[in-house]
Amino acid sequence: MKFTLSWLREHLDTSADAHAVAEAMTRAGLEVEEIHDPIAALASFSVARIVSAARHPDADRLQVCQVETVDGMKEIVCGAPNARAGLVTIYAPIGAYVPGLGVTLVEKPVRGVVSNGMLCSASELELAEESEGILELADDLAVGTPAAGVFGVEPVIDFEVTPNRPDWLGVAGIARDLAAAGLGPLTTPAIAPVPGRFPCPVQIRLAAPDLCPVFAGRIIRGVRNGPSPAWLQRKLTAIGLRSINALVDVTNLISWDRARPLHAYDLGKLAGTMIVARGGQLKDPSLPETDLARYERLQALDGKMYLLHPHMCVIADDGGERPIGLGGVMGGESTGCDADTTDVFLESAWFDPLATAQTGRDLTLTSDAQYRFARGVDPASVVPGLELATQLILDLCGGEPSDITVAGQAPADPAAFAFDPAVVERLSGLALPHDRIAAILGDLGFTVETGTPWRVTPPSFRRDVEGPADLVEEVARIAGYDALPATPLPEVARPPRGVLSPRQGRIRTARRALAAQGFHEALTWSFTARATAALFGGRDQRLVLENPIAAELDCMRPSILPNLIQAAARNAARGHADVALFEIGPVYAGDRPGDQRTAITALVAPHAPRHWSGSTESALFALKADLYALLETLGAPVGSLQLVEGQNRDWWRPGQSARLQLGPKTVIAEFGTLHPRTLKALDASGPMLAFEIDLDALPEPRAGKGGGKARGPADLPNLMPLTRDFAFLVDATKPAADLVRAVAGADKTLIAEVRVFDVYRGPGVPEGQVSIALEVVIQPRAATLTEAEIEALTGRITAAAARLGAILRS
């Protein structure tokens, strides 16, 4: 919805500028979208007079003009055919932005002659869609007069209308709310009746009163239709409407001014009685709705042909033989007014909002009238709108009016209801005097009877108000939402929260840690196929279900691994082969009835893009690092874990898998590369690597290692660490981890870390042995170590390795 500031002032006595009006509208609940100010866009332009015009020496169609401007005499090159001496036009100086061209003027030669500005056309100033030459203004305009004052441009306010406020679709309705908000007194002129001079000969019959309960009209004969006066054209053009002719422009003006759509018919093109009925069944009421072939069609004013369905409201003449308009949407081309119209039939009706909205949706047709009727036009404006339009037509076009004929009856006004003004403070917190509440409601058009309780009757244009809560919203909106008290909500006692058991806490910690490492959580069935379970050691008949939920889920899973393998295979089949998945859930060993354990299982399918820098061999060590990091996060005694290779598990690849244990009977985790034979059986492509932690086998963490006590202060050494390298010859069958653990235990106070950085087999190393090179990180605590202390530590390291059978390599 758009309107200009001067248009608003026809209904509201205010000195507020456009920005102040927009702020008041926002406070009153009208959402302003934009303020378009053409005055600012035309600030650089002013009136100028061409003193002389001579042909350009190097161009036949250009003229070199000497122009009297606000900046003095200027030489300007102009290509307009109407440029001539004595012409008064609009001048744009160097540096001005020309909106119609989208360019900023710069001083540059045109065919060798420098143009010191520009003489403008209407289209270049966005005052018209197209123009053939520069503007020709009145001779009495003074040079230097601002262009904005010449053309009478002014700010245009554009705002969003909510569906429940159709009264805002007229400038008068906006002014009413702004007056109630205190922006100025309401000055909307009253509508005086126009007496008819003869009976209206047009008969109207309502065959569908549910779609159109009231239809009023009158004839005005002897009109002189033609272009509208300049003030009316400017008013419509400012809000984006195209001026057509005086009769049509009057109906558009009232639609935007009073939210009252009207329609004008050329009386000479009407035939017989006018009928308002359902479309498609005008001739034959028994015609089925599915018989589209016999439905009526309408050539509308937009030049398009529309099919008239039975639920649509159609206006017809000649006893219903010819449709001439879609009620509340658009008139027909056959009865439209043109320059030859001398007698006009003016329509003012009320059409059902739901039917009008459905017609617009079905036909993908939206007009200004349809937009208003679909939201609900004021039924009480039927006759007053007709009176107002009659007076304007008589003023602009002349003519003689008939009496008004009214068919049907308008819908009843909203009913009154009880209202306690104290509810305003109870619902909104606003402590307003009762007389202030009554004044606000009265200014908004409500009728207030201040008894006990109050009786409030909504106006006919506010059918959205149905009870006391709606009135509270109206009062709060006008009083100002910024006046609402800032009262915090009452404190609500927090419900008691449960305490997680150590096992539950570990599951939560593991889930977060794995997600942080880049794994995605999977949720799969606790069942699998019997053949799949057998691949992972689940051959016990006690795992088989008697009543499975599906044939392929007939066995409790002995491991989460097969489910994750199949999930990775499904992702690969959909183009996402490179996945990292984890799941925490139950597994069933089947060793005894009811044996159930909780496993933390993670799987990696490294399918990164091919690259020259290497293969996926490092993926196993990366997986091992993730496993150790997770165990350390869970408070497991990582330093005491034994790494054992070559476990007898068919689904792990020999030489590329191992287990972590606390003694031979307490297996904490298994990890490694999955066997290609197992992957093939599950229709999956390798490589895939995984680890599985038996959560129930993890010992309870000690205090300070995830056991629930607060962590102590950080022990950050202030001395630089040093490193020493050792190479040991050790039996090739011994795991390197055993040597690392033995060396680290040589002095747990000074040795911070032990890392394997080289493994060598070959010349210089005896058969059956391997050379393992270690980097030992030594962290002094109290003081810098002396050479003697370092030598003593070296001796302890070699002694610890010797107890494992390792010899320092010379």
Side-chain angles (χ1 to χ4, degrees):
M1 174 67 187
K2 297 180 180 180
F3 63 92
T4 60
L5 192 57
S6 64
W7 197 338
L8 177 68
R9 287 173 176 163
E10 294 176 7
H11 298 272
L12 184 70
D13 185 6
T14 181
S15 59
D17 61 11
H19 292 280
V21 169
E23 290 179 5
M25 291 175 65
T26 301
R27 289 194 301 271
L30 289 84
E31 183 182 350
V32 177
E33 292 189 339
E34 181 187 11
I35 300 176
H36 176 63
D37 190 358
I39 297 177
L42 297 177
S44 301
F45 302 85
S46 59
V47 173
R49 186 186 304 273
I50 301 177
V51 176
S52 65
R55 199 168 74 176
H56 194 288
D58 293 328
D60 293 338
R61 296 186 179 182
L62 298 179
Q63 297 188 72
V64 179
C65 301
Q66 303 301 320
V67 184
E68 181 185 0
T69 74
V70 68
D71 301 321
M73 292 297 296
K74 296 288 183 180
E75 187 173 72
I76 299 175
V77 178
C78 181
N82 61 333
R84 62 186 183 274
L87 178 66
V88 177
T89 186
I90 294 296
Y91 154 74
I94 298 297
Y97 176 78
V98 183
L101 300 178
V103 299
T104 300
L105 299 181
V106 296
E107 186 176 336
K108 65 178 182 179
V110 180
R111 295 287 186 94
V113 178
V114 175
S115 182
N116 297 287
M118 179 179 179
L119 302 179
C120 303
S121 67
S123 61
E124 289 164 344
L125 298 181
E126 292 188 336
L127 300 174
E129 295 183 0
E130 56 184 27
S131 53
E132 296 182 355
I134 58 177
L135 284 160
E136 298 190 20
L137 305 178
D139 295 339
D140 56 352
L141 285 174
V143 172
T145 303
V150 173
F151 302 112
V153 295
E154 57 180 322
V156 177
I157 299 175
D158 186 5
F159 73 99
E160 185 68 28
V161 179
T162 55
N164 67 315
R165 294 303 304 271
D167 56 308
W168 284 345
L169 290 170
V171 180
I174 303 166
R176 183 188 304 109
D177 276 26
L178 291 178
L183 202 63
L186 189 66
T187 60
T188 300
I191 300 175
V194 179
R197 299 183 181 178
F198 58 92
C200 179
V202 177
Q203 295 183 358
I204 303 168
R205 183 164 65 89
L206 301 181
D210 55 327
L211 300 183
C212 177
V214 59
F215 191 105
R218 80 185 321 167
I219 287 174
I220 306 175
R221 63 190 182 192
V223 300
R224 297 179 302 278
N225 195 18
S228 297
W231 66 266
L232 179 53
Q233 294 188 36
R234 283 197 303 269
K235 183 173 285 191
L236 297 178
T237 302
I239 60 173
L241 296 181
R242 181 172 59 90
S243 176
I244 299 174
N245 56 55
L247 291 174
V248 176
D249 289 354
V250 164
T251 61
N252 285 334
L253 175 67
I254 296 175
S255 181
W256 286 75
D257 186 73
R258 303 296 178 99
R260 162 37 63 186
L262 304 162
H263 185 66
Y265 299 88
D266 188 327
L267 183 62
K269 300 175 183 178
L270 291 177
T273 303
M274 294 185 66
I275 294 179
V276 183
R278 281 180 165 77
Q281 296 177 317
L282 294 173
K283 296 181 180 179
D284 185 1
S286 64
L287 183 67
E289 186 173 345
T290 55
D291 190 1
L292 297 180
R294 298 181 59 191
Y295 281 6
E296 297 288 349
R297 287 166 172 79
L298 171 69
Q299 184 83 23
L301 286 172
D302 62 359
K304 298 180 181 179
M305 184 73 72
Y306 295 101
L307 187 69
L308 306 180
H309 291 253
H311 65 270
M312 298 177 183
C313 182
V314 177
I315 301 170
D317 66 352
D318 195 18
E321 291 294 318
R322 182 182 65 158
I324 58 174
L326 273 167
V329 180
M330 186 174 289
E333 192 177 72
S334 61
T335 56
C337 295
D338 52 33
D340 299 327
T341 299
T342 56
D343 299 329
V344 61
F345 177 76
L346 198 59
E347 165 208 305
S348 181
W350 191 88
F351 299 98
D352 179 69
L354 294 179
T356 307
Q358 187 62 47
T359 298
R361 284 192 292 268
D362 290 344
L363 302 179
T364 62
L365 174 59
T366 301
S367 63
D368 289 339
Q370 190 270 345
Y371 188 79
R372 286 162 171 77
F373 278 117
R375 283 155 178 78
V377 172
D378 180 10
S381 68
V382 171
V383 172
L386 196 59
E387 299 278 18
L388 181 59
T390 300
Q391 188 61 60
L392 281 172
I393 292 174
L394 294 179
D395 293 342
L396 301 181
C397 306
E400 184 181 24
S402 73
D403 295 332
I404 294 177
T405 179
V406 180
Q409 186 174 1
D413 290 339
F417 54 85
F419 177 67
D420 183 0
V423 78
V424 172
E425 184 174 3
R426 182 169 62 85
L427 293 184
S428 69
L430 288 171
L432 298 176
H434 289 186
D435 56 349
R436 171 63 174 149
I437 296 174
I440 290 175
L441 295 177
D443 290 342
L444 292 175
F446 293 85
T447 302
V448 180
E449 301 174 15
T450 56
T452 304
W454 288 10
R455 296 286 297 175
V456 179
T457 305
S460 59
F461 53 82
R462 289 303 307 274
R463 296 177 179 271
D464 59 305
V465 176
E466 299 177 347
D470 296 325
L471 294 181
V472 174
E473 182 181 356
E474 293 299 303
V475 172
R477 181 173 64 87
I478 298 303
Y481 291 128
D482 53 349
L484 293 175
T487 304
L489 293 174
E491 187 71 23
V492 178
R494 296 183 178 181
R497 301 176 64 183
V499 179
L500 297 178
S501 66
R503 177 176 169 277
Q504 291 172 326
R506 278 181 159 177
I507 290 176
R508 175 179 289 185
T509 301
R511 182 174 287 114
R512 293 179 176 176
L514 286 168
Q517 292 173 358
F519 290 85
H520 293 82
E521 185 172 12
L523 298 175
T524 65
W525 293 104
S526 296
F527 321 115
T528 187
R530 193 182 312 181
T532 302
L535 295 174
F536 291 83
R539 297 181 175 86
D540 198 310
Q541 288 297 317
R542 286 174 293 185
L543 295 177
V544 179
L545 299 174
E546 293 183 359
N547 185 24
I549 61 173
E552 65 276 9
L553 299 174
D554 60 347
C555 184
M556 305 301 291
R557 65 183 181 188
S559 169
I560 301 178
L561 280 173
N563 292 13
L564 292 186
I565 292 171
Q566 291 171 330
R570 287 193 296 270
N571 278 274
R574 290 161 176 79
H576 303 283
D578 191 15
V579 296
L581 306 173
F582 80 92
E583 183 177 357
I584 304 175
V587 294
Y588 307 88
D591 297 335
R592 58 183 182 274
D595 189 4
Q596 174 181 321
R597 303 179 73 81
T598 301
I600 304 174
T601 306
L603 178 139
V604 177
H607 288 78
R610 292 183 296 175
H611 196 267
W612 60 269
S613 60
S615 62
T616 60
E617 295 179 0
S618 61
L620 180 58
F621 295 99
L623 182 76
K624 178 184 174 184
D626 290 339
L627 172 59
Y628 270 83
L630 177 59
L631 290 172
E632 189 169 2
T633 302
L634 295 177
V638 176
S640 304
L641 293 178
Q642 299 174 354
L643 181 69
V644 180
E645 299 182 42
Q647 72 270 29
N648 187 21
R649 299 284 198 180
D650 294 340
W651 56 91
W652 296 115
R653 188 164 189 167
Q656 297 183 23
S657 58
R659 67 173 179 265
L660 298 175
Q661 62 186 33
L662 289 171
K665 294 185 178 180
T666 308
V667 178
I668 302 297
E670 296 179 354
F671 71 96
T673 304
L674 291 165
H675 203 292
R677 181 177 58 249
T678 303
L679 297 179
K680 184 178 181 181
L682 295 177
D683 198 21
S685 299
M688 290 188 186
L689 305 92
F691 66 74
E692 193 158 33
I693 300 173
D694 186 350
L695 186 59
D696 297 321
L698 277 180
E700 292 293 331
R702 292 177 295 175
K705 296 289 185 180
K709 292 187 178 181
R711 180 178 298 174
D715 182 15
L716 302 176
N718 57 359
L719 298 174
M720 292 288 293
L722 64 149
T723 61
R724 289 292 184 269
D725 293 345
F726 299 87
F728 293 101
L729 292 174
V730 67
D731 192 327
T733 61
K734 287 190 176 295
D738 293 349
L739 178 61
V740 170
R741 186 163 46 251
V743 171
D747 191 323
K748 295 183 178 180
T749 303
L750 291 177
I751 298 177
E753 190 176 1
V754 180
R755 293 189 286 259
V756 177
F757 68 86
D758 186 45
V759 177
Y760 173 70
R761 294 180 179 88
V765 175
E767 186 72 25
Q769 290 189 323
V770 62
S771 174
I772 299 179
L774 304 177
E775 180 186 47
V776 180
V777 180
I778 304 169
Q779 177 62 64
R781 296 287 176 176
T784 302
L785 298 179
T786 64
E787 287 296 331
E789 289 172 332
I790 295 175
E791 287 299 327
L793 178 60
T794 301
R796 292 195 297 273
I797 291 174
T798 55
R803 287 193 293 271
L804 196 66
I807 303 172
L808 189 64
R809 185 180 177 190
S810 57

